[in-house]
Amino acid sequence: NSTWGNILHLTLEKLFKEKQIINKAALKEIKSNSTAILEKEFAAKFPDGRYKEGHNALMYHQAVKCLEALLKNEEENIAENGNYKILGIEKKVECVLEADYKGKKIEFKVKAKIDRIDENKDGIRIVDYKSGFISNSEVSLKTFKSFSTQSYSLQLMLYAYLYNKECAETNLISSILSLKNPKAKFINLTFNNNDTLNEEIFLKFENYLVEFAQNLMQDDLEFKHDIKSKYCMMC
């Protein structure tokens, strides 16, 4: 599954990387190249051609269908909301924060790589491609405490926060494009039912990150196995 997802990520990166404005003409060109680039990525990963036979062939054709559905949604998105501009593909973002430890300031780095950043008439949007089936309920936050059970929400919030720190952009939308749930289209992170992330939210999230780091550095912190998780099958 991870290989399947990585191949689709690489394909989407190459399809959109050289484009600045995504309009009907650009999307038509992307669609015409999509299958060839996808097959090239499969062939690079499996030079013996095993992706063409048996169960692997089903996985390959599923990837073709998922890519076709995503690009069809992009067409509908342009028809509804107009063209959009690509601001970044596979963009690395990072920042350095400080946490208190025994009266000293300890620096720690927070970093990530964002699949896509684009801008349309509604503003700037952070886009994360997910190879699995994701629904809206998995990225709906009331408080930061929900991060413990909503890892996708944490990821989307982190991406938006880091982009804000690096580019001083606020009022961001952070979204997932689920490759196995294409009908959902853009699945926006919401915080208290609002899908626009502003400076106030980012400041609160920064405090959350600092507090999280400080908790990790406590000498009396004991790490235990989560009883809900499986033990390593190799150990």
Side-chain angles (χ1 to χ4, degrees), residues 40-77:
K40 186 176 180 180
E41 292 300 325
F42 266 95
K45 196 69 177 177
F46 304 108
D48 57 2
R50 74 181 74 175
Y51 66 93
K52 297 179 180 180
E53 299 177 357
H55 179 73
N56 293 331
L58 295 178
M59 296 289 283
Y60 167 73
H61 287 291
Q62 183 191 37
V64 172
K65 290 295 183 183
C66 286
L67 186 58
E68 287 175 349
L70 184 145
L71 295 177
K72 185 175 184 295
N73 283 344
E74 292 279 7
E75 278 186 323
E76 294 174 359
N77 180 44

Side-chain angles (χ1 to χ4, degrees), residues 20-194:
Q20 291 184 324
I21 302 296
I22 305 299
N23 52 26
K24 289 182 179 179
L27 201 54
K28 183 178 181 181
E29 183 183 347
I30 287 171
K31 288 181 71 177
S32 67
N33 295 329
S34 60
T35 304
I37 292 177
L38 181 67
E39 178 148 5
K40 186 176 180 180
E41 292 300 325
F42 266 95
K45 196 69 177 177
F46 304 108
D48 57 2
R50 74 181 74 175
Y51 66 93
K52 297 179 180 180
E53 299 177 357
H55 179 73
N56 293 331
L58 295 178
M59 296 289 283
Y60 167 73
H61 287 291
Q62 183 191 37
V64 172
K65 290 295 183 183
C66 286
L67 186 58
E68 287 175 349
L70 184 145
L71 295 177
K72 185 175 184 295
N73 283 344
E74 292 279 7
E75 278 186 323
E76 294 174 359
N77 180 44
I78 287 175
E80 292 174 12
N81 303 301
N83 305 338
Y84 63 87
K85 181 181 180 181
I86 297 290
L87 302 179
I89 297 290
E90 295 295 323
K91 180 175 175 58
K92 294 180 180 179
V93 285
E94 63 180 49
C95 75
V96 175
L97 299 175
E98 288 185 341
D100 291 320
Y101 177 67
K102 293 184 176 180
K104 296 180 180 180
K105 293 289 186 182
I106 304 295
E107 290 188 342
F108 65 97
K109 182 181 288 187
V110 187
K111 62 181 181 177
K113 186 163 68 172
I114 303 172
D115 289 338
R116 188 175 102 195
I117 304 154
D118 61 39
E119 183 177 21
N120 65 5
K121 62 181 180 63
D122 296 322
I124 295 177
R125 178 175 55 201
I126 309 295
V127 180
D128 185 48
Y129 302 125
K130 284 287 181 241
S131 54
F133 187 98
I134 313 296
S135 63
N136 285 284
S137 63
E138 294 176 85
V139 290
S140 179
L141 282 177
K142 292 295 183 184
T143 70
F144 293 155
K145 291 180 180 179
S146 301
F147 286 147
S148 60
T149 55
Q150 290 197 2
S151 58
Y152 299 131
S153 293
L154 174 59
Q155 190 175 12
L156 290 179
M157 184 68 77
L158 181 66
Y159 287 172
Y161 164 77
L162 288 173
Y163 187 72
N164 166 263
K165 289 287 283 187
E166 187 162 303
C167 302
E169 295 285 355
T170 189
N171 297 325
L172 302 173
I173 294 174
S174 201
S175 306
I176 282 176
L177 277 177
S178 173
L179 295 168
K180 290 183 179 176
N181 185 16
K183 291 182 180 179
K185 298 187 179 181
F186 289 95
I187 304 171
N188 296 339
L189 170 66
T190 62
F191 189 78
N192 288 326
N193 300 317
N194 190 348

Side-chain angles (χ1 to χ4, degrees), residues 190-204:
T190 62
F191 189 78
N192 288 326
N193 300 317
N194 190 348
D195 62 5
T196 301
L197 306 175
N198 56 37
E199 193 70 36
E200 182 183 356
I201 294 172
F202 294 140
L203 285 172
K204 290 179 180 177

